[in-house]
Amino acid sequence: MQVAFYAEQLYYLPQYLPVIQALRARGHQVEVMLRFDATVQTLFPDRRIPGLPEVRLVDSTVDAYAQLRRLAPDWAVFGSYLDEKENLAPGTRTALVYHGIGVKNVLFDPRLDRFDLRFVESQRVLDELLERNPALRPKLALVGFAKLDPLFSREASPASRGEGPTVLYAPTFYPSSLELMPRQLSTLLPGARWIVKPHFFSWTIDKYAAQRRRLRAWAEQPNVEVLGAQHYNLVPLMARADVLVSDASSALFEFAALRRPVVWCRFQKLRWNYRGLFSWRLKDRIDPQTHRYEAIASCIDRASQLPGALEALLRQPYHPSEEREDLVEYLIGQRDGRVSERIVDQLEQRSG
């Protein structure tokens, strides 16, 4: 069986990597394509992508589809929408391994219904998809969230035992808490080491210049490590962290799956066209029932509450409640390090 993966964005790759490894372990042919746009060229001028020694760098999505047609794999795997203007070879079927989880409504965009097979991470997403369109059932496979497999296939424990705590701050790009965070991170929690991993778009999109100014100021502070856009994979960072701070991002749910403490920043910087009369745009972007999932975290409404929240969570060994564990299972699915194996099983079974 031949399987091709197309990553339109660099940050889709962490979701693919465990599946690629599982496919190759079973002897299947794998091709990986990454859109090598101007931003990625700047990040990797030597054309070497960390974690992917063999990757086809394509100029555009049009180029990717052209190469997929020539390659004619059994399966073409995507991390987001299919391009409605493009087509594939007659024998190629399409599969979706979506690049994120969380509370953004894009998960339920009808354009994602066009795939021959969609891998679903959790019961929550499966229930919602079937409620919206019961006819999708034959196309859906409940497997879990493949990105986290490396953290459950071995004992992963924070590296800071015996030292000060490691705090991972991983905000999304919009709406984000980043610009409302304290200007001084290094003194916020005495003895702590901070790792700041912003979203790829915070570094690469012009309108987030204010976020970049804040990030560069933090980078000058002691005990604060600010990672650039070339650090596309959050998984190794989660393995190092004792606690995560984030906003309405996939990172919240991913880290909660590790049975470690999470601080959810409910404060966010909104542009004028997302406030007042235009607040409907925020509701379209973020699930308005987000509050249903807040039990996974310690929630704060102002940046000034962050030191107290961190101190409370780190004061003693963390033991998640049964309610939190049930909710995480509902949101992120099985946590057994075998999600990528179940994905390969499905691809094999449906290739007959």
Side-chain angles (χ1 to χ4, degrees):
M1 181 173 71
Q2 186 179 42
V3 183
F5 292 77
Y6 173 50
E8 186 177 4
Q9 300 290 348
L10 182 67
Y11 61 87
Y12 292 7
L13 292 177
Q15 188 75 338
Y16 293 166
L17 293 176
V19 186
I20 292 168
Q21 183 177 7
L23 282 162
R24 286 177 171 159
R26 295 197 196 179
H28 297 300
Q29 291 181 273
V30 179
E31 293 285 346
V32 186
M33 299 181 189
L34 170 66
R35 184 166 63 98
F36 200 58
D37 60 17
T39 300
V40 181
Q41 290 175 36
T42 301
L43 296 174
F44 305 108
D46 61 359
R47 303 175 69 86
R48 295 179 181 177
I49 311 301
L52 267 181
E54 298 176 18
V55 60
R56 294 189 186 207
L57 303 176
V58 297
D59 295 330
S60 64
T61 294
V62 172
D63 184 22
Y65 275 86
Q67 294 204 33
L68 285 169
R69 284 192 293 272
R70 287 194 294 271
L71 192 62
D74 298 289
W75 288 97
V77 180
F78 297 81
S80 189
Y81 312 113
L82 291 170
D83 191 319
E84 296 181 4
K85 299 187 296 294
E86 296 289 341
N87 55 66
L88 297 170
T92 297
R93 280 175 283 185
T94 58
L96 174 65
V97 177
Y98 194 71
H99 66 271
I101 54 172
V103 294
K104 293 184 178 178
N105 287 328
V106 67
L107 279 170
F108 309 108
D109 191 312
R111 288 176 293 175
L112 297 176
D113 297 346
R114 296 181 58 219
F115 290 88
D116 296 307
L117 175 60
R118 175 173 180 173
F119 294 106
V120 179
E121 71 274 12
S122 68
Q123 194 67 46
R124 175 242 170 181
V125 176
L126 182 65
D127 291 346
E128 182 76 14
L129 288 169
L130 291 176
E131 182 179 340
R132 291 169 182 247
N133 185 356
L136 286 177
R137 184 175 292 277
K139 295 182 172 186
L140 304 179
L142 180 60
V143 292
F145 196 60
K147 177 179 174 180
L148 300 183
D149 271 0
L151 298 175
F152 290 99
S153 57
R154 67 179 191 280
E155 284 295 321
S157 58
S160 58
R161 296 303 180 213
E163 309 170 3
T166 297
V167 182
L168 174 60
Y169 176 49
T172 191
F173 63 102
Y174 190 81
S176 179
S177 58
L178 198 157
E179 292 168 75
L180 300 179
M181 285 284 282
R183 293 181 181 276
Q184 285 291 328
L185 281 188
S186 58
T187 58
L188 203 62
L189 187 67
R193 178 169 183 253
W194 287 78
I195 302 173
V196 181
K197 167 63 176 71
H199 193 282
F200 183 75
F201 288 163
S202 294
W203 284 121
T204 60
I205 293 183
D206 289 345
K207 62 185 172 185
Y208 300 122
Q211 294 184 8
R212 290 191 287 279
R213 287 194 293 272
R214 178 64 57 90
L215 292 167
R216 291 181 180 119
W218 283 337
E220 299 297 320
Q221 298 172 20
N223 298 317
V224 179
E225 180 183 6
V226 177
L227 301 178
Q230 70 272 24
H231 294 274
Y232 66 86
N233 194 351
L234 190 64
V235 171
L237 306 177
M238 290 194 288
R240 294 164 55 190
D242 295 280
V243 60
L244 174 89
V245 179
S246 191
D247 35 44
S249 75
S250 292
L252 278 176
F253 306 99
E254 295 170 13
F255 197 80
L258 301 181
R259 300 178 177 90
R260 296 185 202 161
V262 174
V263 178
W264 188 333
C265 300
R266 292 188 296 203
F267 54 89
Q268 51 200 7
K269 177 86 170 181
L270 294 177
R271 297 191 286 269
W272 67 268
N273 57 349
Y274 276 76
R275 301 194 299 263
L277 292 174
F278 302 102
S279 59
W280 58 269
R281 287 179 173 154
L282 184 62
K283 293 175 183 175
D284 279 352
R285 187 176 181 88
I286 303 292
D287 182 352
Q289 300 299 316
T290 296
H291 63 273
R292 296 178 294 180
Y293 316 126
E294 291 178 347
I296 70 162
S298 175
C299 298
I300 59 174
D301 296 307
R302 295 183 300 278
S304 61
Q305 297 172 334
L306 183 55
L310 289 171
E311 289 170 6
L313 290 170
L314 295 169
R315 190 175 297 132
Q316 55 193 0
Y318 182 74
H319 300 290
S321 67
E322 185 176 340
E323 177 192 9
R324 182 190 196 258
E325 283 295 280
D326 289 345
L327 186 54
V328 170
E329 192 80 13
Y330 179 64
L331 291 168
I332 209 164
Q334 286 185 265
R335 294 170 283 170
D336 59 2
R338 298 183 60 81
V339 176
S340 50
E341 296 288 341
R342 288 190 287 276
I343 289 175
V344 177
D345 288 344
Q346 287 289 324
L347 293 173
E348 289 176 340
Q349 291 166 18
R350 297 177 187 238
S351 292

